[in-house]
Amino acid sequence: MRKTLAICSVLLSLQLPVKFVAAQAKEGVHEMSTGYQAPKDPLVIRKLDKWQDQKFGLFMHWGTYTIWNEVESWSICPVDWVVRKGPYSADYYTYKKEYEKLQYSFNPVDFNPEKWAAAAKAAGMHYMVFTTKHHDGFCMFDTKQTDYKITSPNTPFSSNPRSNVAKEIFGAFRKDSFMIGAYFSKPDWHSEYFWWSYYPPKDENINYELKKFPERWQKFNDYTYNQIEELMTDYGSVDILWLDGGWVRPDGKQSLDMPKIVGMARTHQPGLIVVDRTVPGEFENYTTPEQSIPEKPLPYPWETCMTMGDSWSYSSRDQYKSSLKLLTILVKIVSRGGNLLLNIGPSDKGDWAPDAYKRLADIGEWMKINEEGIHGSVPVAPYSDRNIYFTKAKSLPVVYAYFLSDSDAVTLPAEVSFPVQDVKKIRTVSLLGTKEKLKWTFSNGQLLIKVPQKLQQKSGLKYIATFKINTEA
């Protein structure tokens, strides 16, 4: 229910019908399933452990759909919950034709990935995932498999020396020591091998009977394999292959040859983390609850992917979450042992909205004081107590208690009390960002902190205050 409500809030802003909620909630069953299989490859295990320490990453959905301020890809899918807008919306075939013509005017002249990398790094983000291809099939990289791409002569931006935007983005973020993730859609609604023009598409699935035309599906397998191999060989070191479109799955009878694809990918990129999201098994190395936060730690690696605003793709109408809300989301996720992959959509001109930069700057200022309990942390019981959320240093006997504020300026009470479990002794207690000494007592597993009046009246802290507790296990 929580996942469904989260999705509903997004859909209201996008003006998409509620039937989409049911479809996504159904996928959520797989996202939160217990069918997780831990990887056996020691290189994958090592990289997955490194990734879990990063805690905070950047997601970017970007494509031609931003010209229309349109939700990514889905407006061309002929399902009954889609609401199309604009002058071509009355007729599906006209709409899809005009949508694909957006390629002819896509020219993001303000593209500057170094600016994005600098803002993300300052905010404390340590990894990034970029949409190399979404469901509509438009490629944001220089694939040799199709001309429906940003580097095609049909696309105005192709004349720009930085037209291979995926390579440019990966390079810019890699220079700032980010782990690199390539989002790739398994379905491709532009490919003749997925939506064959001989038949009309009916929904998000292939529009022909696979048993009658197995050679066509094999061509799609080959097409997908070749595109992923391009990404694994021509774009530098890649840490994560983030595969979307979970309806392309073995039990959906339109399965890709994942052992072959992943085997090839890891030959080129040893230790590659593969996220065949919502498809439990050996190729879903971590799970991806969407727009939601689990109530308790999960027994496997996981990442919440969530929008900074209401939409995955750029919209001039978008309403961005407050800095307080974003930091609250981050702390709650990290306290449960997860990572936050926060999405910002670039515009058709190739830049983020000013509000996105402002949110990242606010987060960065908070991180300067409080990040030591975020990166490289692990969850610790009781995980939360009222408005206080806990993390623990991975290799040190240090517990962090994050006191969540209900306003931008932190107001502390005269006393703060919370449980600290499974410790013999507490050595010191401090409040990050201040030099004031705290008086405290620890009895029967309960820590009581007396807050000096000076800090009560004006702590100077914003959003969330962090108590650092040095313990003796």
Side-chain angles (χ1 to χ4, degrees), residues 102-161:
L102 291 173
Q103 174 186 13
Y104 304 148
S105 54
F106 191 51
N107 193 21
V109 293
D110 295 335
F111 176 59
N112 183 353
E114 287 78 13
K115 182 181 178 183
W116 295 340
K121 183 178 181 179
M125 291 174 161
H126 285 184
Y127 71 105
M128 63 83 61
V129 178
F130 175 65
T131 50
T132 64
K133 182 181 76 168
H134 206 261
H135 312 327
D136 62 7
F138 186 78
C139 298
M140 299 292 283
F141 68 105
D142 188 27
T143 179
K144 303 302 186 291
Q145 312 306 313
T146 179
D147 203 40
Y148 194 50
K149 59 183 180 179
I150 193 166
T151 54
S152 164
N154 294 330
T155 309
F157 197 63
S158 63
S159 61
N160 191 293

Side-chain angles (χ1 to χ4, degrees), residues 30-34 36 52 286-289 292-304 333-339 379 383:
H30 297 288
E31 290 180 357
M32 304 302 290
S33 76
T34 57
Y36 179 78
Q52 285 187 280
Y286 66 74
T287 62
T288 55
S292 62
I293 305 173
E295 292 184 353
K296 58 184 179 181
L298 302 178
Y300 40 76
W302 63 276
E303 162 195 86
T304 285
I333 288 170
V334 173
S335 76
R336 269 57 178 154
N339 286 18
Y383 314 116

Side-chain angles (χ1 to χ4, degrees), residues 201-263:
K202 298 177 181 178
D203 53 25
E204 68 269 28
N205 300 287
I206 58 173
N207 65 339
Y208 56 91
E209 193 171 336
L210 194 149
K211 289 183 179 180
K212 288 185 178 180
F213 305 100
E215 70 288 346
R216 181 166 288 273
W217 183 246
Q218 182 56 51
K219 288 181 179 179
F220 185 71
N221 261 274
D222 296 341
Y223 176 79
T224 302
Y225 179 99
N226 291 338
Q227 285 200 323
I228 292 177
E229 185 166 39
E230 290 172 336
L231 290 169
M232 296 298 106
T233 56
D234 299 336
Y235 292 80
S237 60
V238 177
D239 301 290
I240 304 164
L241 177 60
W242 211 93
L243 300 172
D244 200 7
W247 58 91
V248 177
R249 60 196 304 129
D251 57 7
K253 299 180 181 179
Q254 48 185 349
S255 178
L256 294 170
D257 190 344
M258 289 299 295
K260 182 179 178 182
I261 290 172
V262 174

Side-chain angles (χ1 to χ4, degrees), residues 174-192:
R174 196 180 292 114
K175 285 179 182 177
D176 271 331
S177 302
F178 280 70
M179 294 183 76
I180 302 300
Y183 169 111
F184 184 89
S185 171
K186 292 185 294 183
D188 186 320
W189 297 332
H190 187 77
S191 171
E192 279 286 303

Side-chain angles (χ1 to χ4, degrees), residues 376-405:
S377 68
V378 294
V380 60
Y383 314 116
S384 62
D385 181 65
R386 292 160 296 164
N387 69 321
I388 298 173
Y389 287 75
F390 304 98
T391 68
K392 182 181 180 299
K394 191 174 183 179
S395 55
L396 295 172
V398 181
V399 172
Y400 298 90
Y402 286 96
F403 181 96
L404 272 57
S405 175

